[in-house]
Amino acid sequence: MKKATVLSILNDLTGEDFSNNLDEDLFASGLIDSIDTVQLLLQLQSQLGMDVPVSEFDRNQWNTPAKIIKKAEDAE
């Protein structure tokens, strides 16, 4: 459930399907920038109830779909 939601959010932000590429580096590939990051965090909050302050956002911990999914699952 959380995986599908995260993949859906990323698809909306980037137009890419990451279901078979969970280790894609979203920042290095240029698929997500700082504005997209804020949108990602807002969507995670509204759809999954995750509260991640931008001030605590570490790009290296959120740079792949797999890491974002793990964060979502750990936030339960």
Side-chain angles (χ1 to χ4, degrees):
M1 163 76 179
K2 298 222 177 190
K3 178 180 178 180
T5 302
V6 170
L7 291 175
S8 174
I9 292 168
L10 289 173
N11 182 267
D12 289 346
L13 283 175
T14 66
E16 300 281 329
D17 176 6
F18 295 103
S19 54
N20 293 317
N21 193 9
L22 296 177
D23 295 317
E24 173 80 30
D25 189 321
L26 301 169
F27 297 103
S29 63
L31 291 167
I32 287 186
D33 59 20
S34 57
I35 294 170
D36 294 324
T37 299
V38 172
Q39 189 64 32
L40 170 66
L41 296 178
L42 289 173
Q43 289 299 316
L44 290 171
Q45 183 174 11
S46 71
Q47 293 187 40
L48 296 175
M50 291 177 67
D51 188 20
V52 183
V54 175
S55 60
E56 294 178 17
F57 182 85
D58 179 348
R59 181 185 257 194
N60 294 326
Q61 295 178 7
W62 294 79
N63 62 337
T64 69
K67 289 180 183 178
I68 298 168
I69 291 165
K70 174 124 176 57
K71 291 268 190 197
E73 291 170 347
D74 290 349
E76 289 182 348

